Amino acid sequence: MQKRWVLKPKSEEEKSRKLQQELNVSRIIAELLSNREIHTFDQAKFFFRPSLDHLHDPFLMKDMDKAIKRIEEAIGQKEKILIYGDYDVDGTTAVAVVYSFFREFHSGIAFYIPDRYSEGYGISRQGIDYAVTHGFSLIIALDCGIKAIEQIEYAKSKGVDFVIGDHHLPGTDIPNAVAVLDPKRIDCPYPYKELSGCGIGFKIIQAFLIRNQMQMELAYRYLDLVAVSIASDIVPITGENRTLAFFGLKKLNNNPCYGLQALIDLTSHRSNPFTITDVIFQIGPRINAAGRIDHAKDAVKLLIAKNLEEAKTYSKNIDSQNNTRKDHDLKITTEALALLAEDTDLQQRKSTVLYKEDWHKGVIGIVASRLIEKHYRPTIILTSTNGHVSGSARSVIGFDLYEALSACSDLLDQYGGHKYAAGLTMSKSNVPLFQQRFEEIVQERIKPEMLQPEVLIDLEIQLQDIDAKFYRILRQFQPFGPDNESPVFLCKRVHCPSPATVVGNTHLKFSIKQQDSAIFDCIGFGLAAHREEINSGKTFDLCFTVEENHWRGKKNLQLNVRSIRF
């Protein structure tokens, strides 16, 4: 699939030149910083030298004082506290962090994760009934609850208090809980708005330690889990998140909790430090698999394990669930692509909405993302669950999926999410009408360029600009992630001085040279189709990121090629 190349607007030349002089760095580094809204020496120091002192005062978050007061009251009066969280990575890490911390101060504590299939997302009546039956008078809800208006009222009627710690966008009304912690509340003055759900849990711990004049190191023990949540929930790697991720990755690589160590031991990673990307692809899916295939409480049990032997027992089970998840993923993706291949009408549409009643609900979101890799357009995968049809939706860059679903709301029983990912339910009889209506909405609103994947390019450079010093500074831009992506560079009119080879059937390994530059090794994932043209001797343009390749104890700079043009 041919990608659209988009060059970012150049930063203001005067600001970039001034920063270049102040920092004594190259023009390229100065422009990369300017593109990240870093224009002064102090801002650059803050960016390049993260410090835990940069973390904000948790009491700046609205209702934090009320939350800590109620938690302290519950501990003092020996009330039973239930830590309640969502079944994804962010929710399970949040529960693991808050539960692990407070069990050291309070014996009457337990955790609860709703069942993906019987309860669905968020706070359920079933969960509240569990609390009532087992004598819990306080629930700390994490990564969910900001829209649970009716559920909180139900809990109050049963004598159960709630402290909500969420990071999703609130609705018009705020639940009537004891405390509602959410930086995205309009009336919340907290200076950083993009914390993960686990990040909110971490701030609760920070606040408790400050109030009780205890060492902050007791909170820092959980930074590895916070980093896993930040990576897996795809929140921006900026501001406070970047600081948390930076130190969290350090802990993950040097002294992870037993549960994460057990997961690391299952991966192919042995010597290289874990990055945000590694967490997304190697740790996150394993934690998520528990809730997709069986029950996410297994993931929490792993993450709160008190020794490595216990953790390894849980990790083996979760790894088995992840393998099952992969099998379902492959099977459903194959079936979905076959449905598209057999139907010319579906192929010509600007959206993909597919339904099969026996597809596994736990992986349909993954399948929707896989289909976008092949057919780049808004995609919804539907299946039958408990007498109704459930779906997971994924979008393409620039297209607001949530708005499109809102335009179909009369056909839906329930829907929720954001611009690029959402969930929905409807009656089976509405599926054909929904497929037609959603396609009409997409045709009406999507722009032609949105139907072509894009590569966002930071700068055009020359190969001779890349050397060891350049990479040393570039590496300090890490951790990379949303809003702080690894810089993508464009080089024009390069050639391949030796034959390119195909590896792993679909990937391309080759080298490039430009005028008097050194020769650089390249890897192009999924770019094997370009081998013949590269080997013909033609010059070509390419965009890439710069990385360090580790192979058999040796390190060398390598270009990770995103796209090629002749």
Side-chain angles (χ1 to χ4, degrees):
M1 192 184 298
Q2 184 61 47
K3 294 180 178 178
R4 186 166 50 96
W5 293 11
V6 179
L7 197 60
K8 288 181 182 177
K10 290 196 73 172
S11 57
E12 286 185 42
E13 196 170 330
E14 188 177 333
K15 285 183 178 179
S16 180
R17 193 185 308 115
K18 184 181 177 186
L19 189 63
Q20 182 182 352
Q21 292 168 350
E22 284 186 10
L23 299 180
N24 190 27
V25 293
S26 69
R27 171 193 62 83
I28 297 166
I29 297 296
E31 286 200 31
L32 290 174
L33 290 170
S34 292
N35 283 341
R36 286 161 170 74
E37 299 299 324
I38 296 167
H39 303 299
T40 67
F41 180 88
D42 287 341
Q43 288 173 333
K45 183 180 177 183
F46 188 94
F47 180 79
F48 282 126
R49 300 289 179 265
S51 167
L52 290 167
D53 293 336
H54 294 163
L55 299 179
H56 301 301
D57 180 351
F59 287 101
L60 293 174
M61 198 175 295
K62 185 172 178 63
D63 281 1
M64 184 63 82
D65 53 342
K66 295 178 184 176
I68 299 304
K69 183 180 178 183
R70 182 64 185 91
I71 292 168
E72 288 180 331
E73 182 182 289
I75 293 173
Q77 295 182 3
K78 297 189 166 126
E79 297 176 55
K80 291 183 75 175
I81 303 173
L82 188 65
I83 313 299
Y84 188 114
D86 187 28
Y87 41 67
D88 67 359
V89 178
D90 193 16
T92 51
T93 52
V95 168
V97 165
V98 175
Y99 173 85
S100 296
F101 176 79
F102 281 112
R103 74 177 170 186
E104 296 190 21
F105 303 95
H106 188 52
S107 59
I109 192 164
F111 69 85
Y112 185 93
I113 305 288
D115 184 271
R116 178 189 290 265
Y117 304 102
S118 63
E119 296 173 77
Y121 168 78
I123 296 166
S124 68
R125 285 203 171 205
Q126 188 175 322
I128 294 167
D129 289 341
Y130 174 90
V132 173
T133 303
H134 292 84
F136 293 95
S137 52
L138 175 63
I139 296 177
I140 302 174
L142 301 163
D143 192 34
C144 59
I146 194 61
K147 292 185 178 179
I149 309 291
E150 293 177 10
Q151 293 91 327
I152 300 306
E153 291 304 321
Y154 176 71
K156 284 171 73 80
S157 74
K158 297 286 186 177
V160 177
D161 285 342
F162 261 89
V163 167
I164 293 173
D166 204 349
H167 70 128
H168 296 100
L169 276 171
T172 307
D173 298 318
I174 299 295
N176 187 23
V178 170
V180 180
L181 310 170
D182 189 336
K184 292 190 175 77
R185 286 180 63 167
I186 294 173
D187 57 351
C188 181
Y190 195 74
Y192 188 71
K193 304 297 182 183
E194 302 298 336
L195 291 169
S196 65
C198 186
I200 304 290
F202 178 83
K203 301 308 290 189
I204 292 173
I205 292 173
Q206 266 195 307
F208 184 87
L209 292 172
I210 291 169
R211 179 65 57 84
N212 290 278
Q213 299 181 324
M214 298 168 74
Q215 291 296 316
M216 199 53 65
E217 281 68 23
L218 294 173
Y220 299 158
R221 293 178 300 177
Y222 305 106
L223 285 173
D224 50 353
L225 288 168
V226 177
V228 168
S229 83
I230 288 169
S232 301
D233 218 52
I234 321 293
V235 292
I237 309 289
T238 57
E240 193 166 29
N241 275 348
R242 188 166 180 271
T243 301
L244 291 167
F246 180 86
F247 288 98
L249 286 174
K250 274 193 169 185
K251 187 172 187 306
L252 181 71
N253 284 301
N254 297 312
N255 183 31
C257 69
Y258 293 120
L260 291 178
Q261 181 62 63
L263 289 180
I264 290 168
D265 290 344
L266 293 171
T267 71
S268 56
H269 247 68
R270 289 293 177 268
S271 58
N272 302 355
F274 264 83
T275 64
I276 291 290
T277 301
D278 296 323
V279 172
I280 290 170
F281 288 106
Q282 298 201 51
I283 293 179
R286 286 180 164 88
I287 296 173
N288 256 335
R292 293 186 188 280
I293 302 304
D294 191 0
H295 200 291
K297 65 185 177 185
D298 292 344
V300 178
K301 288 176 182 176
L302 166 72
L303 299 175
I304 64 173
K306 290 185 174 181
N307 57 66
L308 191 56
E309 187 178 350
E310 180 188 356
K312 287 197 171 186
T313 301
Y314 288 119
S315 70
K316 285 175 186 173
N317 182 40
I318 280 179
D319 200 44
S320 173
Q321 291 167 348
N322 190 47
N323 289 332
T324 302
R325 188 270 306 168
K326 289 178 184 176
D327 291 341
H328 285 304
D329 175 2
L330 178 61
K331 176 179 177 289
I332 297 171
T333 300
T334 303
E335 289 179 4
L337 288 171
L339 287 175
L340 286 170
E342 293 162 5
D343 193 319
T344 52
D345 175 56
L346 288 177
Q347 292 169 29
Q348 291 166 4
R349 292 189 173 201
K350 293 185 177 175
S351 69
T352 299
V353 184
L354 299 177
Y355 168 66
K356 197 163 183 284
E357 63 180 17
D358 64 347
W359 282 342
H360 196 289
K361 184 186 175 187
V363 300
I364 56 175
I366 301 171
V367 173
S369 299
R370 297 257 191 265
L371 260 61
I372 287 176
E373 292 172 11
K374 297 283 186 181
H375 300 270
Y376 193 76
R377 57 201 190 188
T379 298
I380 302 175
I381 303 299
L382 302 165
T383 188
S384 290
T385 311
N386 298 330
H388 59 261
V389 172
S390 295
S392 279
R394 298 293 183 268
S395 193
V396 296
I397 293 171
F399 185 78
D400 195 320
L401 185 66
Y402 188 83
E403 281 189 1
L405 290 177
S406 298
C408 306
S409 60
D410 58 305
L411 299 174
L412 304 175
D413 296 334
Q414 200 175 4
Y415 68 100
H418 52 79
K419 186 173 182 177
Y420 292 117
L424 58 151
T425 60
M426 72 185 85
S427 66
K428 185 176 178 179
S429 60
N430 280 348
V431 170
L433 283 171
F434 175 78
Q435 288 173 308
Q436 181 181 340
R437 173 89 64 82
F438 187 75
E439 171 64 16
E440 289 169 357
I441 296 296
V442 173
Q443 283 194 18
E444 180 184 304
R445 299 183 182 184
I446 203 162
K447 295 176 182 176
E449 62 268 22
M450 292 179 189
L451 293 168
Q452 187 179 12
E454 73 172 28
V455 180
L456 195 58
I457 300 165
D458 288 79
L459 289 171
E460 181 184 344
I461 64 171
Q462 303 297 309
L463 285 181
Q464 62 190 18
D465 293 322
I466 304 170
D467 57 21
K469 180 185 177 183
F470 174 78
Y471 181 70
R472 275 198 307 273
I473 299 174
L474 201 62
R475 191 166 54 186
Q476 294 177 56
F477 280 65
Q478 295 182 38
F480 295 127
D483 295 347
N484 185 44
E485 301 279 0
S486 180
V488 176
F489 301 108
L490 166 64
C491 266
K492 292 184 175 179
R493 298 189 65 76
V494 304
H495 69 278
C496 182
S498 56
T501 58
V502 173
V503 293
N505 295 321
T506 58
H507 313 311
L508 193 64
K509 196 163 181 57
F510 60 107
S511 56
I512 59 168
K513 196 175 187 311
Q514 184 186 48
Q515 299 165 348
D516 298 327
S517 77
I519 295 173
F520 285 87
D521 291 336
C522 300
I523 183 72
F525 294 104
L527 298 179
H530 291 299
R531 185 179 70 90
E532 284 189 25
E533 210 162 4
I534 283 179
N535 287 340
S536 71
K538 294 179 184 178
T539 60
F540 52 95
D541 305 340
L542 78 170
C543 45
F544 56 87
T545 57
V546 183
E547 60 187 25
E548 194 170 58
N549 183 43
H550 297 246
W551 179 248
R552 293 180 177 173
K554 294 182 179 179
K555 298 179 186 177
N556 68 294
L557 288 184
Q558 175 178 264
L559 309 185
N560 188 329
V561 179
R562 301 294 179 85
S563 190
I564 295 172
R565 279 186 183 170
F566 291 87

